[in-house]
């Protein structure tokens, strides 16, 4: 029998590594799904994903822990299994037990606020990451949880359109002195603060039920952005898109 070439065996190894990364039921998973969530997913019980930035960054300890427990209890009382998502010691965890919830609540802001773009860094450096809407959606979709409930989603920040003119002027002055394109691009992007939650909503098939977007955000522009991303936005029992006050 002909032995496989070095390039084909390295391709097989890469595929096997990739499968280890993506398969949550693997015996040595890089994503840990709690027994309860895993059982619910395999038997078709409803599962609701919950984010963890609201626990670490949204409220002080002990209020954050009490709120997290209360939200999980509401999900359970309505016949579904809650799956709070966070990265602990570099391992994405889908469904936290009480001890893990408490650990995250005590960490507060020392846990890294983790959006989709930060996942690789937090995992590679084995840090603790509290997932925002974008990162929570990413993991929920990965393990097949179709619904996610949260407080406020990110949006388009106000006054970006004014900042643009001023920052672009500064960027052009920098460019004139340094001839550095990178700085020009960086300053131009800094002018428009748009949450990665919005692009995630456009590309990841998870339904997000939220209290609205933070009241300090530019709500009309947030809705325009969601429309451009092809996101269906529906308000419950109101014709106005709700602002989230905190
Ligand atoms: O009142 C709040 N709303 C939203 C968040 C979090 O902030 C994230 C958006 O952050 P940014 O604007 O940096 O993308 C949301 O996904 C959510 O996790 C928060 O901490 N507090």
């Amino acid at each position: 029998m002909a032995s496989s070439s070095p390039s084909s065996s390295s391709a097989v190894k890469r595929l096997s590594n990739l499968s280890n990364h993506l398969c949550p039921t693997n015996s040595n998973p890089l994503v840990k799904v709690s027994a309860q969530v895993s059982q619910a997913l395999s038997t078709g019980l409803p599962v609701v994903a919950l984010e963890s930035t609201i626990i670490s960054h949204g409220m002080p300890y002990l209020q954050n822990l009490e709120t997290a427990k209360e939200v999980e209890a509401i999900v359970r009382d309505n016949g579904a299994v809650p799956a709070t998502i966070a990265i602990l010691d570099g391992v994405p965890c889908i469904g936290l037990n009480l001890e893990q919830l408490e650990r995250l609540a005590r960490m507060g802001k020392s846990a890294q606020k983790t959006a989709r773009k930060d996942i690789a860094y937090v995992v590679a450096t084995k840090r603790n990451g509290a997932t925002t809407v974008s990162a929570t959606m990413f993991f929920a979709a990965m393990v097949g949880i179709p619904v996610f409930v949260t407080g406020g989603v990110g949006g388009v920040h106000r006054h970006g359109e004014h900042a643009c003119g001023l920052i672009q002027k500064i960027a052009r002055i920098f460019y004139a002195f340094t001839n550095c394109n990178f700085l020009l691009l960086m300053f131009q992007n800094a002018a428009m603060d748009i949450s990665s939650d919005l692009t995630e909503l456009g590309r990841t098939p998870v339904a997000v039920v939220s209290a609205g977007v933070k009241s300090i955000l530019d709500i009309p522009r947030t809705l325009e952005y969601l429309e451009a991303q092809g996101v269906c936005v529906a308000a419950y029992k109101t014709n106005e898109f709700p602002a989230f006050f905190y």
Side-chain angles (χ1 to χ4, degrees), residues 15-34:
L15 282 175
S16 144
N17 279 343
L18 189 62
S19 137
N20 281 341
H21 273 75
L22 298 180
C23 178
T25 54
N26 193 290
S27 59
N28 181 23
L30 290 180
V31 174
K32 266 191 197 157
V33 184
S34 75

